[in-house]
Amino acid sequence: MTISREVRLKSRPVGVPTAENFDVASVTLAAPGPGEVQVRNTWMTVDPYMRGRMNDVKSYSPPFALGEAMQGGAVGEVIASNDSSLKVGDLVQSFLGWREAFNAPAAAVQKLETHGLPVQTFLGAVGMPGLTAYAGLLRIAALKDGDVVFVSGAAGAVGQIVCQIAKIKGHTVIGSAGGAEKAAYLRELGVDHVIDYKAEAVGPALLRAAPDGIDVYFDNVGGEHLEAALTAARPFGRFALCGMISQYNATDMGEGVRGLIQAVGKQLRLEGFIVSSHVDMQGAFVKDMSEWIAAGKIKWRETVEEGIDNAPNAFLKLFKGENLGKMLVKLA
Ligand code: NDP
């Protein structure tokens, strides 16, 4: 018998989520059935998109059920196996985070070869956020020689990788993030112009950083950042709309976008994307990232909360900007 504690959605947040929206409950796991494995999670991820799954609305990802354990990325270790494809001690990745341990069919988990990287990296730089950065920049924004690239949420899980890929490809990069510590980190990454949007308004700061305009905008934030990018964009600019976290807690349709009309005259292309539609790039992503990491060209930061009880708080911190790099929860 294994005891596992799990985080359940107790009530649907209205506006900014609070600790009261979550419950931590214990369950007892029996031995895994035929074809099943039992996994103890060592790390789980919290991601901004999970806020959308807390609403009872139809979206690309179904709503979390009330009173049940939530789902999300996790890595862990097989602690019992009833399937020949996996043995005790194997490292696996799954979509069964928000819990300490679980039983699942072996096919529901993926064996993980870490190639010497810390296992939690597969929830960050070389995992979903890394692929999001890669696909958004190289495919959606279709980066080309000479582009000036603007990145919002630049010191976060996705943003930190976007900035560095753009630098590796030889571009001028402007990164925006909130606070002096994040601004210093962006300078460390080689970002050419750093905007601390909490210290100065992003619109005028962007025009100062890019007096001749920007060609690519990688949007993680929406709102004023998107408006600033529309104003700074050069003709035929491309916007990769990755996320708009400033709007995720809106109780209606969110704010409008002032100045959107500029997309017409400047002939801009604004394209939203979801990383799961770009898994065909996984092979190229892994190959490039492995080379860049080996050459010391890509770095990343993590902010770590410990224990399942702190998982809801780790999630809430995303909306207060209290993470530098990837926000993770260490479980064991
Ligand atoms: P981050 O690590 O960037 O964490 C979230 C950050 O957002 C915070 O640290 C904070 O940074 C910033 N933020 C929070 N609230 C606001 C606000 N009101 N206004 C401006 N900034 C705010 O998260 P991720 O890297 O995981 O995700 C970044 C974006 O990418 C999100 O929008 C997410 O939904 C999206 N995403 C999209 C995917 C896709 O497939 N399209 C896949 C993965 C992520 P700061 O202190 O700088 O304000």
mmCIF file of all heavy atoms in Angstrom, residues 46-49 60 128-129 132 153-159 176-179 182 197-198 219-221 225 241-248 273-276 317-327, ligand 1:
data_model
loop_
_atom_site.group_PDB
_atom_site.id
_atom_site.type_symbol
_atom_site.label_atom_id
_atom_site.label_comp_id
_atom_site.label_asym_id
_atom_site.label_seq_id
_atom_site.Cartn_x
_atom_site.Cartn_y
_atom_site.Cartn_z
ATOM 1 N N VAL A 46 4.104 23.562 -12.518
ATOM 2 C CA VAL A 46 2.902 24.408 -12.548
ATOM 3 C C VAL A 46 3.083 25.372 -13.713
ATOM 4 O O VAL A 46 4.182 25.882 -13.924
ATOM 5 C CB VAL A 46 2.676 25.182 -11.229
ATOM 6 C CG1 VAL A 46 2.279 24.236 -10.114
ATOM 7 C CG2 VAL A 46 3.908 25.994 -10.814
ATOM 8 N N ASP A 47 2.048 25.560 -14.500
ATOM 9 C CA ASP A 47 2.126 26.378 -15.711
ATOM 10 C C ASP A 47 0.933 27.316 -15.804
ATOM 11 O O ASP A 47 -0.174 26.946 -15.392
ATOM 12 C CB ASP A 47 2.117 25.467 -16.951
ATOM 13 C CG ASP A 47 3.301 24.514 -16.975
ATOM 14 O OD1 ASP A 47 4.405 24.960 -17.275
ATOM 15 O OD2 ASP A 47 3.104 23.321 -16.662
ATOM 16 N N PRO A 48 1.147 28.488 -16.406
ATOM 17 C CA PRO A 48 0.047 29.460 -16.510
ATOM 18 C C PRO A 48 -1.200 28.916 -17.220
ATOM 19 O O PRO A 48 -2.317 29.265 -16.861
ATOM 20 C CB PRO A 48 0.663 30.613 -17.320
ATOM 21 C CG PRO A 48 2.140 30.534 -17.042
ATOM 22 C CD PRO A 48 2.433 29.063 -16.896
ATOM 23 N N TYR A 49 -1.011 28.022 -18.213
ATOM 24 C CA TYR A 49 -2.183 27.550 -18.970
ATOM 25 C C TYR A 49 -3.172 26.814 -18.065
ATOM 26 O O TYR A 49 -4.364 26.691 -18.395
ATOM 27 C CB TYR A 49 -1.746 26.644 -20.139
ATOM 28 C CG TYR A 49 -1.435 25.226 -19.738
ATOM 29 C CD1 TYR A 49 -2.438 24.270 -19.656
ATOM 30 C CD2 TYR A 49 -0.145 24.828 -19.387
ATOM 31 C CE1 TYR A 49 -2.160 22.969 -19.252
ATOM 32 C CE2 TYR A 49 0.147 23.543 -18.987
ATOM 33 C CZ TYR A 49 -0.869 22.620 -18.920
ATOM 34 O OH TYR A 49 -0.584 21.347 -18.499
ATOM 35 N N TYR A 60 -8.973 24.325 -25.781
ATOM 36 C CA TYR A 60 -8.143 23.270 -26.384
ATOM 37 C C TYR A 60 -7.794 22.182 -25.382
ATOM 38 O O TYR A 60 -7.401 21.088 -25.733
ATOM 39 C CB TYR A 60 -6.879 23.873 -27.014
ATOM 40 C CG TYR A 60 -5.937 24.534 -26.037
ATOM 41 C CD1 TYR A 60 -4.894 23.822 -25.461
ATOM 42 C CD2 TYR A 60 -6.088 25.875 -25.676
ATOM 43 C CE1 TYR A 60 -4.036 24.414 -24.561
ATOM 44 C CE2 TYR A 60 -5.235 26.480 -24.773
ATOM 45 C CZ TYR A 60 -4.206 25.744 -24.221
ATOM 46 O OH TYR A 60 -3.360 26.332 -23.325
ATOM 47 N N MET A 128 8.384 20.937 -22.359
ATOM 48 C CA MET A 128 7.323 21.675 -23.053
ATOM 49 C C MET A 128 7.636 23.169 -23.209
ATOM 50 O O MET A 128 7.494 23.714 -24.317
ATOM 51 C CB MET A 128 6.000 21.412 -22.308
ATOM 52 C CG MET A 128 4.782 22.058 -22.894
ATOM 53 S SD MET A 128 4.602 23.787 -22.439
ATOM 54 C CE MET A 128 3.810 23.682 -20.848
ATOM 55 N N PRO A 129 8.100 23.864 -22.156
ATOM 56 C CA PRO A 129 8.370 25.304 -22.352
ATOM 57 C C PRO A 129 9.479 25.564 -23.378
ATOM 58 O O PRO A 129 9.397 26.519 -24.163
ATOM 59 C CB PRO A 129 8.789 25.775 -20.951
ATOM 60 C CG PRO A 129 8.152 24.792 -20.016
ATOM 61 C CD PRO A 129 8.226 23.470 -20.729
ATOM 62 N N THR A 132 8.085 25.099 -26.799
ATOM 63 C CA THR A 132 7.206 26.241 -27.094
ATOM 64 C C THR A 132 8.034 27.412 -27.633
ATOM 65 O O THR A 132 7.663 28.052 -28.629
ATOM 66 C CB THR A 132 6.465 26.674 -25.811
ATOM 67 O OG1 THR A 132 5.735 25.556 -25.299
ATOM 68 C CG2 THR A 132 5.510 27.821 -26.081
ATOM 69 N N GLY A 153 7.572 38.680 -20.954
ATOM 70 C CA GLY A 153 7.720 37.549 -20.024
ATOM 71 C C GLY A 153 9.085 36.904 -20.228
ATOM 72 O O GLY A 153 9.258 35.685 -20.131
ATOM 73 N N ALA A 154 10.090 37.747 -20.481
ATOM 74 C CA ALA A 154 11.370 37.259 -20.999
ATOM 75 C C ALA A 154 12.186 36.474 -19.978
ATOM 76 O O ALA A 154 13.068 35.705 -20.357
ATOM 77 C CB ALA A 154 12.190 38.441 -21.526
ATOM 78 N N ALA A 155 11.913 36.650 -18.688
ATOM 79 C CA ALA A 155 12.699 35.947 -17.671
ATOM 80 C C ALA A 155 11.979 34.705 -17.152
ATOM 81 O O ALA A 155 12.396 34.102 -16.166
ATOM 82 C CB ALA A 155 13.024 36.892 -16.511
ATOM 83 N N GLY A 156 10.900 34.308 -17.819
ATOM 84 C CA GLY A 156 10.150 33.129 -17.399
ATOM 85 C C GLY A 156 10.633 31.875 -18.108
ATOM 86 O O GLY A 156 11.640 31.896 -18.841
ATOM 87 N N ALA A 157 9.898 30.780 -17.899
ATOM 88 C CA ALA A 157 10.298 29.471 -18.431
ATOM 89 C C ALA A 157 10.458 29.498 -19.951
ATOM 90 O O ALA A 157 11.459 29.053 -20.496
ATOM 91 C CB ALA A 157 9.253 28.437 -18.029
ATOM 92 N N VAL A 158 9.457 30.017 -20.635
ATOM 93 C CA VAL A 158 9.506 30.080 -22.095
ATOM 94 C C VAL A 158 10.410 31.231 -22.538
ATOM 95 O O VAL A 158 11.296 31.059 -23.384
ATOM 96 C CB VAL A 158 8.077 30.262 -22.678
ATOM 97 C CG1 VAL A 158 8.117 30.453 -24.183
ATOM 98 C CG2 VAL A 158 7.188 29.076 -22.307
ATOM 99 N N GLY A 159 10.187 32.387 -21.939
ATOM 100 C CA GLY A 159 10.887 33.598 -22.383
ATOM 101 C C GLY A 159 12.400 33.483 -22.324
ATOM 102 O O GLY A 159 13.104 33.943 -23.228
ATOM 103 N N SER A 176 11.489 42.039 -22.011
ATOM 104 C CA SER A 176 10.791 42.749 -20.940
ATOM 105 C C SER A 176 10.424 41.783 -19.821
ATOM 106 O O SER A 176 9.953 40.671 -20.081
ATOM 107 C CB SER A 176 9.522 43.399 -21.495
ATOM 108 O OG SER A 176 8.753 43.915 -20.423
ATOM 109 N N ALA A 177 10.670 42.211 -18.594
ATOM 110 C CA ALA A 177 10.285 41.415 -17.418
ATOM 111 C C ALA A 177 10.091 42.375 -16.255
ATOM 112 O O ALA A 177 10.498 43.544 -16.325
ATOM 113 C CB ALA A 177 11.360 40.384 -17.094
ATOM 114 N N GLY A 178 9.482 41.869 -15.182
ATOM 115 C CA GLY A 178 9.149 42.721 -14.035
ATOM 116 C C GLY A 178 10.168 42.627 -12.910
ATOM 117 O O GLY A 178 10.348 41.561 -12.318
ATOM 118 N N GLY A 179 10.865 43.724 -12.626
ATOM 119 C CA GLY A 179 11.743 43.782 -11.457
ATOM 120 C C GLY A 179 13.221 43.740 -11.801
ATOM 121 O O GLY A 179 13.631 43.245 -12.849
ATOM 122 N N LYS A 182 15.069 40.228 -12.313
ATOM 123 C CA LYS A 182 14.806 39.636 -13.631
ATOM 124 C C LYS A 182 15.555 40.398 -14.718
ATOM 125 O O LYS A 182 16.088 39.809 -15.657
ATOM 126 C CB LYS A 182 13.301 39.598 -13.904
ATOM 127 C CG LYS A 182 12.570 38.649 -12.973
ATOM 128 C CD LYS A 182 11.108 38.481 -13.333
ATOM 129 C CE LYS A 182 10.452 37.534 -12.325
ATOM 130 N NZ LYS A 182 9.083 37.167 -12.672
ATOM 131 N N TYR A 197 9.446 46.429 -16.931
ATOM 132 C CA TYR A 197 8.162 47.120 -17.159
ATOM 133 C C TYR A 197 7.494 47.565 -15.858
ATOM 134 O O TYR A 197 6.516 48.322 -15.891
ATOM 135 C CB TYR A 197 7.213 46.236 -18.001
ATOM 136 C CG TYR A 197 6.542 45.135 -17.222
ATOM 137 C CD1 TYR A 197 5.287 45.316 -16.637
ATOM 138 C CD2 TYR A 197 7.168 43.899 -17.044
ATOM 139 C CE1 TYR A 197 4.678 44.311 -15.913
ATOM 140 C CE2 TYR A 197 6.565 42.895 -16.318
ATOM 141 C CZ TYR A 197 5.325 43.104 -15.753
ATOM 142 O OH TYR A 197 4.724 42.107 -15.027
ATOM 143 N N LYS A 198 8.038 47.107 -14.731
ATOM 144 C CA LYS A 198 7.478 47.579 -13.462
ATOM 145 C C LYS A 198 8.120 48.910 -13.055
ATOM 146 O O LYS A 198 7.596 49.628 -12.213
ATOM 147 C CB LYS A 198 7.666 46.531 -12.368
ATOM 148 C CG LYS A 198 6.733 45.337 -12.599
ATOM 149 C CD LYS A 198 6.728 44.337 -11.476
ATOM 150 C CE LYS A 198 5.696 43.243 -11.769
ATOM 151 N NZ LYS A 198 5.923 42.040 -10.967
ATOM 152 N N ASP A 219 4.889 37.008 -27.866
ATOM 153 C CA ASP A 219 3.995 37.503 -26.814
ATOM 154 C C ASP A 219 3.680 36.439 -25.774
ATOM 155 O O ASP A 219 3.050 35.426 -26.072
ATOM 156 C CB ASP A 219 2.687 38.008 -27.435
ATOM 157 C CG ASP A 219 1.850 38.804 -26.439
ATOM 158 O OD1 ASP A 219 2.383 39.171 -25.369
ATOM 159 O OD2 ASP A 219 0.662 39.069 -26.722
ATOM 160 N N ASN A 220 4.095 36.692 -24.550
ATOM 161 C CA ASN A 220 3.736 35.834 -23.419
ATOM 162 C C ASN A 220 2.735 36.516 -22.498
ATOM 163 O O ASN A 220 2.230 35.892 -21.564
ATOM 164 C CB ASN A 220 4.993 35.514 -22.593
ATOM 165 C CG ASN A 220 5.884 34.502 -23.284
ATOM 166 O OD1 ASN A 220 5.401 33.501 -23.816
ATOM 167 N ND2 ASN A 220 7.176 34.758 -23.306
ATOM 168 N N VAL A 221 2.479 37.799 -22.745
ATOM 169 C CA VAL A 221 1.834 38.628 -21.730
ATOM 170 C C VAL A 221 0.537 39.299 -22.198
ATOM 171 O O VAL A 221 -0.399 39.441 -21.429
ATOM 172 C CB VAL A 221 2.871 39.682 -21.248
ATOM 173 C CG1 VAL A 221 2.209 40.822 -20.518
ATOM 174 C CG2 VAL A 221 3.919 39.027 -20.339
ATOM 175 N N HIS A 225 1.809 45.135 -23.288
ATOM 176 C CA HIS A 225 2.979 44.669 -24.045
ATOM 177 C C HIS A 225 2.619 44.463 -25.524
ATOM 178 O O HIS A 225 3.381 44.819 -26.417
ATOM 179 C CB HIS A 225 3.525 43.366 -23.454
ATOM 180 C CG HIS A 225 4.416 43.578 -22.266
ATOM 181 N ND1 HIS A 225 3.933 43.772 -20.997
ATOM 182 C CD2 HIS A 225 5.778 43.652 -22.166
ATOM 183 C CE1 HIS A 225 4.944 43.942 -20.151
ATOM 184 N NE2 HIS A 225 6.075 43.878 -20.840
ATOM 185 N N LEU A 241 1.875 34.663 -31.029
ATOM 186 C CA LEU A 241 1.033 34.839 -29.834
ATOM 187 C C LEU A 241 1.043 33.541 -29.040
ATOM 188 O O LEU A 241 0.297 32.613 -29.328
ATOM 189 C CB LEU A 241 -0.384 35.241 -30.241
ATOM 190 C CG LEU A 241 -0.484 36.500 -31.118
ATOM 191 C CD1 LEU A 241 -1.952 36.816 -31.425
ATOM 192 C CD2 LEU A 241 0.194 37.699 -30.469
ATOM 193 N N CYS A 242 1.937 33.489 -28.070
ATOM 194 C CA CYS A 242 2.162 32.279 -27.277
ATOM 195 C C CYS A 242 1.231 32.242 -26.074
ATOM 196 O O CYS A 242 0.678 31.204 -25.726
ATOM 197 C CB CYS A 242 3.625 32.260 -26.847
ATOM 198 S SG CYS A 242 4.011 30.926 -25.733
ATOM 199 N N GLY A 243 1.082 33.382 -25.418
ATOM 200 C CA GLY A 243 0.228 33.451 -24.244
ATOM 201 C C GLY A 243 -0.038 34.898 -23.890
ATOM 202 O O GLY A 243 0.638 35.804 -24.381
ATOM 203 N N MET A 244 -1.036 35.120 -23.060
ATOM 204 C CA MET A 244 -1.393 36.491 -22.655
ATOM 205 C C MET A 244 -1.739 36.472 -21.181
ATOM 206 O O MET A 244 -2.880 36.706 -20.779
ATOM 207 C CB MET A 244 -2.572 37.010 -23.487
ATOM 208 C CG MET A 244 -2.255 37.107 -24.966
ATOM 209 S SD MET A 244 -3.468 38.047 -25.874
ATOM 210 C CE MET A 244 -2.830 37.862 -27.547
ATOM 211 N N ILE A 245 -0.744 36.205 -20.360
ATOM 212 C CA ILE A 245 -1.010 35.958 -18.930
ATOM 213 C C ILE A 245 -1.685 37.147 -18.244
ATOM 214 O O ILE A 245 -2.419 36.961 -17.282
ATOM 215 C CB ILE A 245 0.277 35.525 -18.186
ATOM 216 C CG1 ILE A 245 -0.076 34.944 -16.800
ATOM 217 C CG2 ILE A 245 1.305 36.644 -18.098
ATOM 218 C CD1 ILE A 245 1.049 34.217 -16.107
ATOM 219 N N SER A 246 -1.493 38.361 -18.775
ATOM 220 C CA SER A 246 -2.125 39.518 -18.127
ATOM 221 C C SER A 246 -3.652 39.442 -18.217
ATOM 222 O O SER A 246 -4.345 40.166 -17.514
ATOM 223 C CB SER A 246 -1.623 40.827 -18.759
ATOM 224 O OG SER A 246 -2.116 40.973 -20.071
ATOM 225 N N GLN A 247 -4.157 38.544 -19.066
ATOM 226 C CA GLN A 247 -5.613 38.453 -19.258
ATOM 227 C C GLN A 247 -6.220 37.196 -18.624
ATOM 228 O O GLN A 247 -7.433 37.009 -18.663
ATOM 229 C CB GLN A 247 -5.933 38.437 -20.768
ATOM 230 C CG GLN A 247 -5.282 39.554 -21.561
ATOM 231 C CD GLN A 247 -5.718 40.928 -21.102
ATOM 232 O OE1 GLN A 247 -6.915 41.207 -21.041
ATOM 233 N NE2 GLN A 247 -4.767 41.783 -20.750
ATOM 234 N N TYR A 248 -5.399 36.315 -18.062
ATOM 235 C CA TYR A 248 -5.912 34.996 -17.662
ATOM 236 C C TYR A 248 -6.904 35.043 -16.499
ATOM 237 O O TYR A 248 -7.696 34.121 -16.333
ATOM 238 C CB TYR A 248 -4.777 34.040 -17.291
ATOM 239 C CG TYR A 248 -3.910 33.610 -18.463
ATOM 240 C CD1 TYR A 248 -2.825 32.770 -18.278
ATOM 241 C CD2 TYR A 248 -4.169 34.043 -19.755
ATOM 242 C CE1 TYR A 248 -2.020 32.378 -19.333
ATOM 243 C CE2 TYR A 248 -3.373 33.664 -20.816
ATOM 244 C CZ TYR A 248 -2.297 32.831 -20.597
ATOM 245 O OH TYR A 248 -1.501 32.444 -21.649
ATOM 246 N N PHE A 273 -0.604 30.132 -31.321
ATOM 247 C CA PHE A 273 -0.208 28.725 -31.501
ATOM 248 C C PHE A 273 -0.239 27.996 -30.162
ATOM 249 O O PHE A 273 -0.135 28.612 -29.103
ATOM 250 C CB PHE A 273 1.187 28.618 -32.136
ATOM 251 C CG PHE A 273 2.309 29.001 -31.203
ATOM 252 C CD1 PHE A 273 3.065 28.022 -30.569
ATOM 253 C CD2 PHE A 273 2.595 30.331 -30.945
ATOM 254 C CE1 PHE A 273 4.097 28.366 -29.693
ATOM 255 C CE2 PHE A 273 3.614 30.680 -30.065
ATOM 256 C CZ PHE A 273 4.370 29.694 -29.439
ATOM 257 N N ILE A 274 -0.398 26.690 -30.251
ATOM 258 C CA ILE A 274 -0.356 25.807 -29.072
ATOM 259 C C ILE A 274 0.733 24.771 -29.342
ATOM 260 O O ILE A 274 0.758 24.151 -30.411
ATOM 261 C CB ILE A 274 -1.730 25.112 -28.855
ATOM 262 C CG1 ILE A 274 -2.832 26.151 -28.557
ATOM 263 C CG2 ILE A 274 -1.655 24.093 -27.712
ATOM 264 C CD1 ILE A 274 -2.649 26.959 -27.296
ATOM 265 N N VAL A 275 1.603 24.602 -28.383
ATOM 266 C CA VAL A 275 2.804 23.784 -28.598
ATOM 267 C C VAL A 275 2.468 22.360 -29.042
ATOM 268 O O VAL A 275 3.203 21.772 -29.841
ATOM 269 C CB VAL A 275 3.706 23.796 -27.334
ATOM 270 C CG1 VAL A 275 3.011 23.207 -26.129
ATOM 271 C CG2 VAL A 275 5.035 23.098 -27.595
ATOM 272 N N SER A 276 1.341 21.824 -28.552
ATOM 273 C CA SER A 276 1.023 20.433 -28.894
ATOM 274 C C SER A 276 0.769 20.236 -30.385
ATOM 275 O O SER A 276 0.798 19.113 -30.876
ATOM 276 C CB SER A 276 -0.182 19.952 -28.076
ATOM 277 O OG SER A 276 -1.245 20.861 -28.233
ATOM 278 N N LYS A 317 2.012 31.858 -7.453
ATOM 279 C CA LYS A 317 3.158 32.765 -7.607
ATOM 280 C C LYS A 317 3.393 33.169 -9.063
ATOM 281 O O LYS A 317 3.966 34.224 -9.332
ATOM 282 C CB LYS A 317 4.418 32.110 -7.032
ATOM 283 C CG LYS A 317 4.461 32.137 -5.509
ATOM 284 C CD LYS A 317 5.771 31.571 -4.993
ATOM 285 C CE LYS A 317 5.882 31.818 -3.487
ATOM 286 N NZ LYS A 317 7.227 31.521 -2.987
ATOM 287 N N LEU A 318 2.965 32.322 -10.001
ATOM 288 C CA LEU A 318 3.138 32.658 -11.429
ATOM 289 C C LEU A 318 2.449 33.975 -11.762
ATOM 290 O O LEU A 318 2.899 34.729 -12.621
ATOM 291 C CB LEU A 318 2.546 31.557 -12.318
ATOM 292 C CG LEU A 318 3.228 30.190 -12.298
ATOM 293 C CD1 LEU A 318 2.369 29.175 -13.048
ATOM 294 C CD2 LEU A 318 4.614 30.279 -12.933
ATOM 295 N N PHE A 319 1.321 34.227 -11.073
ATOM 296 C CA PHE A 319 0.518 35.415 -11.389
ATOM 297 C C PHE A 319 0.974 36.638 -10.611
ATOM 298 O O PHE A 319 0.454 37.725 -10.802
ATOM 299 C CB PHE A 319 -0.972 35.104 -11.157
ATOM 300 C CG PHE A 319 -1.437 33.996 -12.054
ATOM 301 C CD1 PHE A 319 -1.387 32.674 -11.650
ATOM 302 C CD2 PHE A 319 -1.840 34.272 -13.354
ATOM 303 C CE1 PHE A 319 -1.755 31.647 -12.499
ATOM 304 C CE2 PHE A 319 -2.216 33.255 -14.220
ATOM 305 C CZ PHE A 319 -2.170 31.934 -13.793
ATOM 306 N N LYS A 320 1.943 36.419 -9.720
ATOM 307 C CA LYS A 320 2.518 37.554 -8.981
ATOM 308 C C LYS A 320 3.938 37.810 -9.463
ATOM 309 O O LYS A 320 4.659 38.626 -8.880
ATOM 310 C CB LYS A 320 2.535 37.234 -7.480
ATOM 311 C CG LYS A 320 1.168 36.945 -6.892
ATOM 312 C CD LYS A 320 1.341 36.652 -5.391
ATOM 313 C CE LYS A 320 0.199 35.817 -4.841
ATOM 314 N NZ LYS A 320 0.609 34.989 -3.713
ATOM 315 N N GLY A 321 4.371 37.070 -10.453
ATOM 316 C CA GLY A 321 5.729 37.243 -10.968
ATOM 317 C C GLY A 321 6.787 36.778 -9.980
ATOM 318 O O GLY A 321 7.932 37.227 -10.034
ATOM 319 N N GLU A 322 6.429 35.855 -9.090
ATOM 320 C CA GLU A 322 7.393 35.443 -8.053
ATOM 321 C C GLU A 322 8.227 34.230 -8.477
ATOM 322 O O GLU A 322 8.686 33.465 -7.637
ATOM 323 C CB GLU A 322 6.652 35.185 -6.734
ATOM 324 C CG GLU A 322 6.126 36.488 -6.133
ATOM 325 C CD GLU A 322 5.324 36.274 -4.861
ATOM 326 O OE1 GLU A 322 5.326 35.165 -4.314
ATOM 327 O OE2 GLU A 322 4.672 37.255 -4.428
ATOM 328 N N ASN A 323 8.362 34.047 -9.777
ATOM 329 C CA ASN A 323 9.272 33.003 -10.275
ATOM 330 C C ASN A 323 10.278 33.635 -11.217
ATOM 331 O O ASN A 323 9.962 34.517 -12.003
ATOM 332 C CB ASN A 323 8.477 31.929 -11.031
ATOM 333 C CG ASN A 323 7.741 32.473 -12.249
ATOM 334 O OD1 ASN A 323 6.948 33.398 -12.140
ATOM 335 N ND2 ASN A 323 8.015 31.923 -13.409
ATOM 336 N N LEU A 324 11.519 33.158 -11.100
ATOM 337 C CA LEU A 324 12.557 33.519 -12.066
ATOM 338 C C LEU A 324 12.845 32.233 -12.822
ATOM 339 O O LEU A 324 13.175 31.211 -12.208
ATOM 340 C CB LEU A 324 13.796 34.031 -11.327
ATOM 341 C CG LEU A 324 15.003 34.407 -12.186
ATOM 342 C CD1 LEU A 324 14.670 35.532 -13.151
ATOM 343 C CD2 LEU A 324 16.171 34.840 -11.304
ATOM 344 N N GLY A 325 12.687 32.238 -14.131
ATOM 345 C CA GLY A 325 12.813 30.994 -14.889
ATOM 346 C C GLY A 325 11.642 30.077 -14.607
ATOM 347 O O GLY A 325 10.560 30.525 -14.227
ATOM 348 N N LYS A 326 11.882 28.776 -14.740
ATOM 349 C CA LYS A 326 10.789 27.792 -14.625
ATOM 350 C C LYS A 326 10.357 27.569 -13.180
ATOM 351 O O LYS A 326 11.177 27.281 -12.316
ATOM 352 C CB LYS A 326 11.279 26.455 -15.211
ATOM 353 C CG LYS A 326 10.258 25.347 -15.119
ATOM 354 C CD LYS A 326 9.146 25.524 -16.144
ATOM 355 C CE LYS A 326 7.958 24.608 -15.874
ATOM 356 N NZ LYS A 326 6.806 25.307 -15.288
ATOM 357 N N MET A 327 9.067 27.666 -12.937
ATOM 358 C CA MET A 327 8.524 27.373 -11.605
ATOM 359 C C MET A 327 8.249 25.870 -11.506
ATOM 360 O O MET A 327 7.549 25.298 -12.343
ATOM 361 C CB MET A 327 7.226 28.162 -11.401
ATOM 362 C CG MET A 327 6.576 27.932 -10.061
ATOM 363 S SD MET A 327 7.645 28.342 -8.677
ATOM 364 C CE MET A 327 6.926 29.862 -8.123
HETATM 365 P P1 NDP B 1 6.519 32.160 -16.771
HETATM 366 O O1 NDP B 1 7.629 31.327 -16.248
HETATM 367 O O2 NDP B 1 6.853 33.288 -17.703
HETATM 368 O O3 NDP B 1 5.714 32.698 -15.514
HETATM 369 C C1 NDP B 1 4.707 33.636 -15.621
HETATM 370 C C2 NDP B 1 5.264 35.073 -15.616
HETATM 371 O O4 NDP B 1 4.301 35.919 -16.206
HETATM 372 C C3 NDP B 1 5.489 35.670 -14.242
HETATM 373 O O5 NDP B 1 6.712 35.296 -13.665
HETATM 374 C C4 NDP B 1 5.405 37.159 -14.521
HETATM 375 O O6 NDP B 1 6.674 37.644 -14.914
HETATM 376 C C5 NDP B 1 4.483 37.222 -15.737
HETATM 377 N N1 NDP B 1 3.186 37.813 -15.379
HETATM 378 C C6 NDP B 1 2.286 37.337 -14.500
HETATM 379 N N2 NDP B 1 1.211 38.144 -14.447
HETATM 380 C C7 NDP B 1 1.461 39.169 -15.304
HETATM 381 C C8 NDP B 1 0.743 40.340 -15.694
HETATM 382 N N3 NDP B 1 -0.467 40.611 -15.197
HETATM 383 N N4 NDP B 1 1.317 41.166 -16.598
HETATM 384 C C9 NDP B 1 2.529 40.895 -17.099
HETATM 385 N N5 NDP B 1 3.255 39.824 -16.779
HETATM 386 C C10 NDP B 1 2.729 38.971 -15.894
HETATM 387 O O7 NDP B 1 5.459 31.231 -17.492
HETATM 388 P P2 NDP B 1 5.729 30.322 -18.762
HETATM 389 O O8 NDP B 1 7.041 30.644 -19.344
HETATM 390 O O9 NDP B 1 5.408 28.936 -18.415
HETATM 391 O O10 NDP B 1 4.608 30.841 -19.768
HETATM 392 C C11 NDP B 1 4.762 32.096 -20.405
HETATM 393 C C12 NDP B 1 3.576 32.317 -21.321
HETATM 394 O O11 NDP B 1 3.570 31.327 -22.343
HETATM 395 C C13 NDP B 1 2.222 32.217 -20.616
HETATM 396 O O12 NDP B 1 1.364 33.167 -21.193
HETATM 397 C C14 NDP B 1 1.778 30.813 -20.962
HETATM 398 O O13 NDP B 1 0.394 30.652 -20.897
HETATM 399 C C15 NDP B 1 2.322 30.690 -22.366
HETATM 400 N N6 NDP B 1 2.533 29.312 -22.832
HETATM 401 C C16 NDP B 1 1.952 28.982 -24.005
HETATM 402 C C17 NDP B 1 2.151 27.748 -24.551
HETATM 403 C C18 NDP B 1 1.534 27.457 -25.862
HETATM 404 O O14 NDP B 1 1.527 26.301 -26.278
HETATM 405 N N7 NDP B 1 1.008 28.462 -26.553
HETATM 406 C C19 NDP B 1 2.956 26.733 -23.869
HETATM 407 C C20 NDP B 1 3.605 27.225 -22.655
HETATM 408 C C21 NDP B 1 3.367 28.474 -22.161
HETATM 409 P P3 NDP B 1 7.082 39.188 -14.661
HETATM 410 O O15 NDP B 1 7.594 39.220 -13.257
HETATM 411 O O16 NDP B 1 8.113 39.439 -15.682
HETATM 412 O O17 NDP B 1 5.838 39.976 -14.810
#
